[in-house]
Amino acid sequence: MLSASPNPKFFDGEHALKSLAQEATPGAEPAPTHVAVYFGPEGEETPDPYFEGQGPARSGCTFCGACMTGCRHNAKNTLDKNYLYLAQQLGAEILAEQEVVAVEPAGSPDGSQGYEVTLRPSTTWLKPKTKLQAKGVIFAGGVLGTLNLLLQLKRGALPNLSPLVGQQVRTNNESLISVTQLEGDADMSQGVAISAILETDAHSHLELCRYGAGSGAWKLSFLPLAEGSNGWIRLWRMATDFFRDPVAYWKYFRVKDWAKSSLVMLFMQTLDSTVTFTLGRFGRMQSAVVGKDKPTAFIPEAISLARRMERILKGKAMMFGLTPIAGIPGTAHILGGAVMGKDPQTGVIDKDNRVFGYENMLVCDGSMISANPGVNPSLTITAISERAMSRIPDKANR
Ligand code: SF4
């Protein structure tokens, strides 16, 4: 359905990753990622290449690198080009810009007689809430959307949800470090956004990521790479790094197009670590570390690879978000929180994604994932969701 296929072209960024592999992982080569992109003739429109004419026309990828901020070339296989498009053809109605704020059993408390779903416009406060009646409900709002709603509902309309809602949230053990070249004219923005992957050891992968030319504002979301056991030590190291080489910082801040000069190193591990999401005093979702297996903000292997890349590119490594100051790990792939189990004491959903304690209620998004896959999880999420859908009888057989 996502028509994932291998990235066919390597550009400057991938060649830098190859150089890194030669130094850091002799014998291991970066492999092209399988990505949900149409690699037809560049920029040319083609009638639906995937679904025997039932899908929309597509255009070949131009390798502009802007996949993460939205493909403007009709080449990325986003859900509105496949699942949602085909569902609409079959009569599904899509209500855009609506946020579900309540789900209540209608009639029977276990939901066997259906649910009342309350929606509010997500882009304006001026329009009223609306209500829908549904025979069944599937939560698929992404981890942050689904868990926020499930945690609220457990306090109110759905008290029989497993006590594990919000627990076993995983970060894919990730680290996001950018490296910006300070000399040379390589164009890191050319290529698909996630283009090559390198297995750095038995449980770790390093992926090359990029943004399209012109996405320089991302520079503001990176701070100097500094590790250390507390925030004061890291601040001190940032300051000493600045005074050791102020010219490098001067060049970094003068970089004209950050996206053209920078690549992002996404390091991911299968090693296990979890955090917990709960509702705070004012009903806002918050994270907490429970237990010893917590994700770390500073993964030594990731930092070592970034330092090597710094030397290869004659560049400057920076770390994503507030990680260097607050010591909070960042992730592009938050997972878990409504995990599978054999009963409500071990999971929120069963092996067919059905929510324990309620009828005709499923969770089908990243919150169902019960381990760190150590790679991008989108194919895993769609595969498990398709399996869950295959367990629902066709209307004709009910
Ligand atoms: S690189 Fe990404 S954004 Fe650019 S055309 Fe290809 S799929 Fe679209």
Side-chain angles (χ1 to χ4, degrees):
M1 287 297 292
L2 298 181
S3 311
S5 46
N7 166 34
K9 278 193 184 177
F10 276 10
F11 294 89
D12 291 342
E14 291 76 19
H15 295 310
L17 186 62
K18 274 189 176 179
S19 305
L20 176 68
Q22 279 164 8
E23 265 192 29
T25 59
E29 279 274 296
T33 47
H34 281 63
V35 284
V37 170
Y38 175 54
F39 292 114
E42 284 181 36
E44 278 181 33
E45 188 170 282
T46 315
D48 167 37
Y50 296 127
F51 305 113
E52 297 171 347
Q54 303 296 307
R58 312 307 312 282
S59 297
C61 173
T62 62
F63 300 94
C64 70
C67 319
M68 285 195 277
T69 47
C71 177
R72 285 170 280 188
H73 303 281
N74 190 25
K76 185 171 146 185
N77 301 333
T78 42
L79 301 190
D80 53 324
K81 316 277 186 197
N82 38 65
Y83 286 106
L84 297 179
Y85 184 92
L86 297 172
Q88 254 182 334
Q89 309 306 307
L90 294 170
E93 194 182 344
I94 296 169
L95 307 176
E97 297 176 350
Q98 296 286 327
E99 181 185 357
V100 175
V101 291
V103 177
E104 287 179 58
S108 171
D110 66 356
S112 54
Q113 290 171 2
Y115 297 91
E116 184 177 80
V117 179
T118 306
L119 312 164
R120 83 167 168 223
S122 58
T123 51
T124 172
W125 290 98
L126 300 177
K127 292 188 186 160
K129 290 178 184 171
T130 50
K131 289 184 188 289
L132 295 174
Q133 302 301 316
K135 187 175 174 197
V137 172
I138 299 172
F139 290 86
V143 172
L144 299 182
T146 292
L147 291 189
N148 193 23
L149 185 54
L150 287 179
L151 286 166
Q152 307 274 359
L153 294 173
K154 178 155 180 59
R155 277 190 177 178
L158 303 178
N160 295 332
L161 289 171
S162 161
L164 290 186
V165 172
Q167 294 188 31
Q168 299 180 37
V169 175
R170 290 175 165 87
T171 64
N172 211 15
N173 245 29
E174 287 185 1
S175 158
L176 284 154
I177 303 176
S178 69
V179 181
T180 302
Q181 62 170 356
L182 303 178
E183 295 170 23
D185 56 359
D187 184 354
M188 301 301 179
S189 70
Q190 266 193 309
V192 290
I194 298 176
S195 57
I197 186 163
L198 175 68
E199 190 172 328
T200 58
D201 63 35
H203 45 70
S204 311
H205 291 102
L206 177 68
E207 258 184 2
L208 179 69
C209 307
R210 53 168 57 89
Y211 289 95
S215 295
W218 283 102
K219 184 157 82 170
L220 301 174
S221 63
F222 286 86
L223 287 173
L225 172 57
E227 29 174 344
S229 52
N230 70 56
W232 294 111
I233 292 176
R234 293 191 294 274
L235 275 175
W236 170 254
R237 287 188 175 158
M238 279 186 219
T240 51
D241 190 52
F242 176 80
F243 286 111
R244 197 166 36 232
D245 192 0
V247 176
Y249 280 92
W250 172 249
K251 286 181 179 171
Y252 178 79
F253 287 111
R254 284 187 53 85
V255 160
K256 280 207 179 73
D257 188 338
W258 177 88
K260 275 190 155 189
S261 303
S262 306
L263 48 82
V264 178
M265 299 171 70
L266 171 59
F267 187 81
M268 304 173 276
Q269 291 186 308
T270 52
L271 301 178
D272 206 20
S273 59
T274 60
V275 293
T276 295
F277 282 0
T278 55
L279 288 185
R281 205 179 306 159
F282 301 108
R284 289 180 64 85
M285 195 164 67
Q286 60 190 22
S287 61
V289 172
V290 177
K292 281 186 291 188
D293 295 331
K294 58 180 182 180
T296 170
F298 308 101
I299 302 174
E301 297 93 323
I303 292 173
S304 158
L305 289 165
R307 292 297 186 203
R308 281 178 188 267
M309 187 62 100
E310 237 181 357
R311 288 193 291 277
I312 289 167
L313 289 184
K314 295 187 178 63
K316 193 79 204 146
M318 298 287 210
M319 208 164 202
F320 183 67
L322 291 177
T323 308
I325 291 179
I328 297 171
T331 177
H333 304 114
I334 190 85
L335 298 166
V339 299
M340 284 184 184
K342 62 181 187 322
D343 53 39
Q345 281 69 50
T346 55
V348 177
I349 56 174
D350 71 7
K351 65 180 173 49
D352 294 327
N353 293 52
R354 293 175 301 200
V355 173
F356 289 119
Y358 294 92
E359 297 291 317
N360 298 321
M361 179 180 282
L362 288 85
V363 174
C364 291
D365 62 19
S367 45
M368 68 192 166
I369 303 288
S370 310
N372 282 329
V375 290
N376 311 59
S378 50
L379 291 181
T380 308
I381 293 167
T382 47
I384 296 174
S385 301
E386 287 212 14
R387 181 182 175 280
M389 293 303 104
S390 74
R391 298 294 197 271
I392 297 176
D394 287 345
K395 262 188 189 164
N397 300 330
R398 274 183 226 164

